[in-house]
Amino acid sequence: MSICAIITIGLFLSGIFAGSTAQRGDSAAITITPAEPLMGGEAVLSCNFHLPEGERWLEVTWKKDGIGIFRLSRKDRKKTVLRGSPIPSGRMDLENAPEHSLHITSVEPQDSGRYQCIVGYGDDMYGETIMNVLVPPSSPIITPSIENGKIVERDLLTLTCESLNGSPPANVTWWFGEQMFTNATYTMDEMGTGKSVITLKAQEYQNGRPFICKAWNRALPENEPIVAELIADILFTPRATITPASEDVIEGQSISIECSLRGRPSDYREVQWIKDGTVLDTPQLAQTLELPDVSRTSSGQYRCSAQNSLSWGPQSNDFSLTVMYVPSVTLLLEGLNITTRKEGDQIALQCIVDAVPEANAYSWSHAGVTVAGADQPIFGINSVVKDSRGIYQCTGNNTVASAMSNTFFLDVEYLPRAALFSEQAVDGVVTVIESEGATVNATCVLDANPPSDQVQWFRDGVQITGEESATVSVAGITREQAGLYTCKGVNSLGVGEASSSVQLIVQYAPEQLQLMPQEHVAVAEGQKIPVSFTCSAESVPEPQYNWLYGEEILAENSATLQFEGAITRDRKGMYSCQAANALGQITGAVEVSVLYHPSCVTPLSEYVGKIGDVVVLRCEVDASPSQVEFRWTVDGEEVSEHADKELVSEVTVELQQLSDFKEYHCQAKNKLGTGVEPCVIQLFEIATALPASPVDCDYIALPTSINITCKEGQAAGSQQHYVVLSRAGREMARSLHPDFYIVAEPQKLYHLDVLAVSGLGNSSRVSLSILTPSIEAPKPLMSQAALIGVVIAAIIIVFIIIIVIVFLSQKKKKVNKANYSLREGERK
């Protein structure tokens, strides 16, 4: 930073700190408002002083840089502008400013300087201060250094920005977008010039974008600098781009690769295409690379670059071309190339796939059937078995297609496998139902590789000598000949495993069925049956047991019946056990009785009749045990006469008057107790006419509701209810009695019909037209005029009371004075 700039800053700082406190001696000081006036604004310099005791000021003189401005005389209180004043009178307020103040109405840059106020009072008193005028800087001027009249990328570019006539000098900064250059060189001078110089290397990305210069000092609003821009015009070599960056193509298809170019100037002279580092032979200005009928060798990394009048530009990004093709699949046998293996040997088949993209799925087939779970390129069998024999193939898949390998035949040698069959066999068991002497034929069927040349027969594990043919006959069967029969085969590998067995047995149907418990079981409802039921029988083969309740199977294939939870009355009855085999079955049963309190078959019954009829009321209950006693009541009184028969009781009622139509209660009791709820029998009069209309209807209408009250008309002998309908037929309310509450809206006219309804029809209608009132705002207790009258009356009453009090007080004084005069006369 220059010495001049340091001096200028020092002057400004001293002015800021001295503006309100500069003084000479201890009794005179100058304050400036504002502390740093703005050019074109106003400034008031106030002279504040304290004279020695007993002294009065005679005159006040203002000077700038030692040159007089004006003098104020105490005598005439007039401010006289002095000759040669540095501030013209036209820029000063000499009439309205405070008495000892200097008021500059339009501040100019030359007003900056040192000011004095001199107070004369027989001696002189001085006050001093420095005033700095803030001047906005000029618009920045940008000067670039350009050689040969152009800017080429990577050239050094020097940009100079100057802002003149600022007070203080402007702070000048360089910006590119939102980023400020921190390496710029800033200088300023005493003439108010701020300058910033930046040297940088021109870059391609700066082309067409602005370099921004900002100038600011305290004369400008905060964060509002003066801005100038320079749009960079930078020449650069071509920039090449290939989009997208990769592409997959199926072999045999065509593809076009586009090379997008951006350079300045755009006078492209040549375009090159490079594959995997090798320049391709293409037309000189081919921005599109055409690849017809691509093959797998076309895969690789492609780039492009271009040349303009400056030079060759950098190569583009990599473009990855992948040529996909159908898999080529080969199946190989790992290890010894022997296609015949013995049972138990290991084998591994390898599926080799040449494909792009790589195979993403494998599958294996055996004898034309896909092998589940075989989805790897290696298919291994840890221990081959007879069923491993056959033709194998593998399939390789990629996103293009799938292909199948060559075939491979695997031959497996194994010991003979024997299977024993008989005409009477069922699932390997021969059942002899007839008497001894029957004949059974059996055949040993062998599967072997190499084929079997001998058969061995066994009964209960002991070889039968003399039997080597594949078929045997057991004639004249006796119990002693019963047993397990098996056979084995023999080939060059050895003796095979035994076949499945054929067992000769004598069967008979189940017999001698036994039940536990044997007698009848009785359980109270809600309790659990305390024991399990079991059954057993003798038979060959062993029987299967099923416990049933009716057609419902409770326990299948189990000789034991377990009871869970409490039993209910609907589960009483016979619980049967069935023992069965293929020859027959036997059945037994245990009876279960469930005991429970009486309950009504029909909890609520209705009977109808008319006066003069005789009606028989029936009460039926369900109970166990069924020996019950009935009790009838009506209106709380017991009915003594009723006919009871087992679970049914009847009461005969002669209908002589309307009061005979009542509600009867019937309860039954057995040895467990009385039923919880009585049976209710209601007796109604048969309706003979339509219901009568309600009478004497009245209503109360409120803003939001309507209450309607009527009296019932003469009953028509049948149950009836009451409704309120709108004239449109919509039901507004319903009740067993003609009393209704209806939700309404304020100030609305309702046309309503009230009628009675029974099973025979409707009564005639009672029509009402009801207007609901409006909702009124609450009224004040009294009007404003009445309130004023009350206040006036209260004032008058208070005034009268005051007059009366004053009158009585004066009267009392007169009486006291008269009494005093009287007492004086008596004393004389």
Side-chain angles (χ1 to χ4, degrees), residues 436-472:
E436 293 180 335
T439 300
V440 175
N441 297 317
T443 301
C444 186
V445 178
L446 299 174
D447 177 19
N449 185 25
S452 176
D453 52 11
Q454 184 183 350
V455 178
Q456 297 176 355
W457 288 92
F458 298 84
R459 180 175 64 232
D460 293 332
V462 179
Q463 185 174 355
I464 302 173
T465 60
E467 291 290 348
E468 295 183 357
S469 62
T471 300
V472 297

Side-chain angles (χ1 to χ4, degrees), residues 38 41 156 163 198 213 225 253 267 313 382 397 496 586 661 678 799 814 820:
L38 184 64
L156 287 179
S163 179
I198 180 71
C213 176
Q253 293 181 345
D267 55 342
N382 291 329
N397 300 269
I586 186 171
F661 295 94
F799 183 73
K814 291 180 179 180
Y820 176 78

Side-chain angles (χ1 to χ4, degrees), residues 302-353:
Y302 290 80
R303 290 185 179 184
C304 65
S305 64
Q307 181 188 38
N308 65 2
S309 57
L310 296 179
S311 181
W312 282 95
Q315 291 185 1
S316 71
N317 58 294
D318 281 330
F319 172 80
S320 179
L321 176 62
T322 300
V323 179
M324 302 182 295
Y325 50 90
V326 176
S328 174
V329 186
T330 304
L331 189 153
L332 297 177
L333 174 65
E334 290 188 348
L336 296 176
N337 191 19
I338 301 174
T339 61
T340 300
R341 299 295 174 93
K342 290 183 175 60
E343 197 168 32
D345 289 347
Q346 289 185 347
I347 189 173
L349 302 177
Q350 184 177 9
C351 189
I352 300 175
V353 180

Side-chain angles (χ1 to χ4, degrees), residues 702-704 744-750 770-775:
L702 299 176
T704 59
E745 298 178 9
Q747 204 167 5
K748 184 176 180 179
L749 180 61
Y750 289 86
I770 303 172
L771 177 63
T772 56
S774 61
I775 300 177

Side-chain angles (χ1 to χ4, degrees), residues 426-555:
V426 179
D427 294 333
V429 176
V430 173
T431 303
V432 179
I433 302 174
E434 301 178 10
S435 61
E436 293 180 335
T439 300
V440 175
N441 297 317
T443 301
C444 186
V445 178
L446 299 174
D447 177 19
N449 185 25
S452 176
D453 52 11
Q454 184 183 350
V455 178
Q456 297 176 355
W457 288 92
F458 298 84
R459 180 175 64 232
D460 293 332
V462 179
Q463 185 174 355
I464 302 173
T465 60
E467 291 290 348
E468 295 183 357
S469 62
T471 300
V472 297
S473 179
V474 181
I477 295 175
T478 64
R479 288 178 181 263
E480 290 75 15
Q481 290 176 308
L484 288 175
Y485 286 80
T486 58
C487 68
K488 297 180 180 179
V490 183
N491 68 1
S492 61
L493 300 180
V495 180
E497 295 181 356
S499 68
S500 57
S501 300
V502 172
Q503 183 176 18
L504 298 179
I505 60 174
V506 177
Q507 293 182 330
Y508 56 91
E511 58 187 33
Q512 298 182 12
L513 182 69
Q514 294 184 355
L515 298 174
M516 290 296 293
Q518 296 179 350
E519 63 272 5
H520 171 271
V521 177
V523 184
E525 187 174 32
Q527 296 183 356
K528 180 181 178 182
I529 296 178
V531 296
S532 300
F533 292 180
T534 61
C535 68
S536 61
E538 296 181 1
S539 71
V540 176
E542 287 290 332
Q544 290 185 343
Y545 298 94
N546 292 326
W547 278 96
L548 298 93
Y549 177 73
E551 297 294 330
E552 178 185 357
I553 298 177
L554 302 180

Side-chain angles (χ1 to χ4, degrees), residues 205-416:
Y205 73 88
Q206 297 165 343
N207 179 61
R209 297 178 61 188
F211 288 91
I212 302 170
C213 176
K214 298 181 180 180
W216 183 86
N217 68 2
R218 294 193 302 276
L220 298 174
E222 190 72 24
N223 297 323
E224 294 185 16
I226 302 174
V227 177
E229 293 183 352
L230 173 67
I231 304 297
D233 184 6
I234 299 173
L235 304 180
F236 54 91
T237 58
R239 299 302 193 267
T241 306
I242 303 177
T243 55
S246 64
E247 192 166 345
D248 296 341
V249 181
I250 297 175
E251 190 172 30
Q253 293 181 345
S254 299
I255 183 173
S256 298
I257 307 174
E258 295 290 337
C259 182
S260 298
L261 299 178
R262 182 173 55 85
R264 185 168 179 81
S266 59
D267 55 342
Y268 307 125
R269 300 180 178 182
E270 187 176 351
V271 177
Q272 282 186 345
W273 285 92
I274 305 98
K275 175 181 180 292
D276 296 332
T278 302
V279 177
L280 301 178
D281 184 13
T282 58
Q284 185 174 1
L285 287 174
Q287 288 188 236
T288 301
L289 178 61
E290 301 288 349
L291 297 178
D293 192 19
V294 296
S295 65
R296 59 194 68 184
T297 59
S298 303
S299 294
Q301 302 295 322
Y302 290 80
R303 290 185 179 184
C304 65
S305 64
Q307 181 188 38
N308 65 2
S309 57
L310 296 179
S311 181
W312 282 95
Q315 291 185 1
S316 71
N317 58 294
D318 281 330
F319 172 80
S320 179
L321 176 62
T322 300
V323 179
M324 302 182 295
Y325 50 90
V326 176
S328 174
V329 186
T330 304
L331 189 153
L332 297 177
L333 174 65
E334 290 188 348
L336 296 176
N337 191 19
I338 301 174
T339 61
T340 300
R341 299 295 174 93
K342 290 183 175 60
E343 197 168 32
D345 289 347
Q346 289 185 347
I347 189 173
L349 302 177
Q350 184 177 9
C351 189
I352 300 175
V353 180
D354 176 21
V356 173
E358 293 182 355
N360 55 12
Y362 295 85
S363 62
W364 290 85
S365 65
H366 175 216
V369 178
T370 301
V371 180
D375 55 2
Q376 299 300 318
I378 302 296
F379 176 69
I381 304 175
N382 291 329
S383 179
V384 298
V385 296
K386 168 205 165 188
D387 293 337
S388 302
R389 186 174 185 268
I391 295 176
Y392 289 83
Q393 278 185 294
C394 71
T395 302
N397 300 269
N398 66 3
T399 56
V400 179
S402 63
M404 186 172 289
S405 72
N406 54 301
T407 61
F408 174 81
F409 178 78
L410 176 64
D411 190 16
V412 180
E413 292 183 343
Y414 50 91
L415 291 170

Side-chain angles (χ1 to χ4, degrees), residues 523-528 565-569 594-596:
V523 184
E525 187 174 32
Q527 296 183 356
K528 180 181 178 182
I567 194 166
T568 57
R569 65 189 69 181
V594 181
L595 308 179
Y596 48 86

